[in-house]
Amino acid sequence: FGSRQQGRKAAAGGATAMPQRLRFGTTILVIAYFVLLPSAQAAEQVAQQPAFKASSGASDAQKASEGVRIYLKASKHRNEAWGDVLEARKQAPALYPSSLGKLAKANNWTTEILDMASKLQAKAVDAAQGELKELKAVHENREKALGEGRFGADFKGEASELKRRMRTVR
């Protein structure tokens, strides 16, 4: 044991080198500060934002689009949490359980947002199908109106008949 410390002193230029356990603990702190903390702060910022901020005058399609945009943002956060889990498993096993908890929360949050977005999307599809039915009915009514009167008349034949009559009158 004494020779190991002497070897460390010699390697560190006379000062005692940092023990392996202390280096590992320092690594965990550095990872927690630079990697896990920013993702936790990002999660808090995303969580503090209102879920759907579409204005009251927005159409159903606009609200659905906003819901999908927010779902993609939540998925990005979930993917970051998954990356944190993988990194914690390899480099900081002590943080692995807490990072799994954060991943579970992010996954649940993403699922809730996906449910809201899918409901908004279904509502937008129903509205679009309703508008399509209305427009088809309007189009059919216009076609019927065009069929009434002289729509199908032979105007070329009438013009040639009128032209022949006018020649005989002269």
Side-chain angles (χ1 to χ4, degrees):
F1 183 79
S3 63
R4 283 177 66 189
Q5 283 187 349
Q6 289 172 355
R8 287 185 190 151
K9 284 181 183 179
T16 305
M18 187 181 294
Q20 180 70 24
R21 288 184 183 172
L22 189 55
R23 275 188 270 155
F24 181 73
T26 305
T27 304
I28 290 175
L29 290 174
V30 169
I31 289 172
Y33 183 76
F34 288 111
V35 176
L36 299 178
L37 184 64
S39 64
Q41 289 172 345
E44 289 175 13
Q45 289 174 355
V46 171
Q48 290 173 355
Q49 293 177 353
F52 294 98
K53 57 184 177 186
S55 65
S56 60
S59 70
D60 290 331
Q62 290 170 328
K63 291 176 185 176
S65 176
E66 179 72 11
V68 170
R69 186 191 65 76
I70 291 172
Y71 165 71
L72 292 175
K73 188 182 254 187
S75 292
K76 181 180 176 186
H77 169 69
R78 184 202 57 222
N79 292 343
E80 289 172 359
W82 174 243
D84 292 347
V85 167
L86 293 178
E87 190 169 335
R89 191 174 102 202
K90 290 179 184 176
Q91 296 183 6
L95 296 175
Y96 186 65
S98 65
S99 61
L100 283 175
K102 290 176 184 176
L103 175 64
K105 287 180 185 177
N107 198 33
N108 290 340
W109 185 57
T110 303
T111 304
E112 289 174 11
I113 290 197
L114 179 61
D115 289 342
M116 285 189 278
S118 65
K119 288 176 186 176
L120 289 172
Q121 187 67 31
K123 188 176 178 182
V125 167
D126 290 343
Q129 287 177 346
E131 288 177 18
L132 179 64
K133 286 180 184 178
E134 289 175 13
L135 291 174
K136 280 184 177 181
V138 168
H139 182 69
E140 288 174 1
N141 290 338
R142 287 184 180 173
E143 280 184 339
K144 287 179 186 176
L146 286 175
E148 296 173 358
R150 302 203 43 192
F151 176 70
D154 181 20
F155 293 108
K156 287 185 179 180
E158 289 179 20
S160 64
E161 177 65 28
L162 180 62
K163 187 177 183 180
R164 187 184 58 76
R165 273 192 277 153
M166 289 180 71
R167 282 188 191 157
T168 56
V169 172
R170 281 189 183 175

